[in-house]
Amino acid sequence: MAGEKYIVASVENSMQIAVRNILNPSGYVFLANCSDGVTLLRLIRSYNPDFVVVDYSLHAGELRNALEVIDDEMLCACILVGDHKNADIVGILDNSKTISFCLKPLNRDMLLQAVDLSIISYRRIFNLNKKLMEVTENYETRKAVERAKRILMERKGLSEKEAYESIRKKSMNSRMPLKSIAESIIYTYESMGKNN
């Protein structure tokens, strides 16, 4: 892999330079550096990097918050650089989707391997998460349509096929998703039931 864009976060200028000296000759594109978690998040949201390299020596509380946001929102792959004996790092890695680890002091081959594996893992997890969200949305749509069909079948005496066609036709005519039409049918009949 190469051509991916990255940001470096470290309080040590020597660390920032070392990371760039390893990654740039290998074809990675440096975007920015910073020395705190708040700026790191701002830079990630501004530049949309493929990955970030983060020195664990940043301010601990601020860094932990930034790492949680990066991980929760799956903003990009993240390589945390630090001491493998640090219990905080182990705790972060245990609960993370997008954060990987590289041991200090930096070694060219280890950092390059960590970057490659981190990007691959991030992309795989991102795609799986996207598929899961699609499956969940499809399930929610199906559930709403089934419920709306039952309402139409009970209230209007339609067959299952007629109820579905009614929902589908309203969806096409209004250019609204099936789920929205189904939810409006459910809401309408539920509110009518409460008023009776």
Side-chain angles (χ1 to χ4, degrees), residues 8 15 17 22 42 61 64 73 82-83 86 105 114 123 148 151 189:
V8 181
M15 167 81 170
I17 293 169
I22 292 170
R42 184 178 51 76
R64 186 174 276 280
E73 296 180 20
D83 182 5
N86 186 318
R123 288 179 180 158
I151 290 170
Y189 284 100

Side-chain angles (χ1 to χ4, degrees), residues 9 36-38 40-41 44-45 52-82 86 88-93 95-101:
D36 64 273
V38 173
L40 175 61
L41 282 175
I44 289 171
R45 292 186 195 286
V52 293
V53 178
V54 180
D55 186 356
Y56 192 72
S57 64
L58 291 177
H59 183 265
E62 194 177 275
L63 175 62
R64 186 174 276 280
N65 290 339
L67 292 174
E68 285 175 6
V69 171
I70 292 167
D71 197 53
D72 288 345
E73 296 180 20
M74 294 190 67
L75 298 175
C76 63
C78 180
I79 298 98
L80 192 57
V81 179
N86 186 318
D88 285 343
I89 291 176
V90 173
I92 290 168
L93 295 173
N95 300 312
S96 170
K97 298 180 290 224
T98 62
I99 301 172
S100 57
F101 179 72

Side-chain angles (χ1 to χ4, degrees), residues 68-130:
E68 285 175 6
V69 171
I70 292 167
D71 197 53
D72 288 345
E73 296 180 20
M74 294 190 67
L75 298 175
C76 63
C78 180
I79 298 98
L80 192 57
V81 179
D83 182 5
H84 74 283
K85 296 177 184 174
N86 186 318
D88 285 343
I89 291 176
V90 173
I92 290 168
L93 295 173
D94 279 347
N95 300 312
S96 170
K97 298 180 290 224
T98 62
I99 301 172
S100 57
F101 179 72
C102 186
L103 190 62
K104 242 183 182 181
L106 283 181
N107 169 299
R108 180 187 182 280
D109 293 334
M110 287 179 63
L111 180 59
L112 290 173
Q113 185 176 28
V115 167
D116 286 346
L117 292 174
S118 182
I119 291 170
I120 290 168
S121 293
Y122 171 79
R123 288 179 180 158
R124 182 176 49 239
I125 291 169
F126 183 85
N127 289 333
L128 286 172
N129 195 47
K130 187 176 172 182

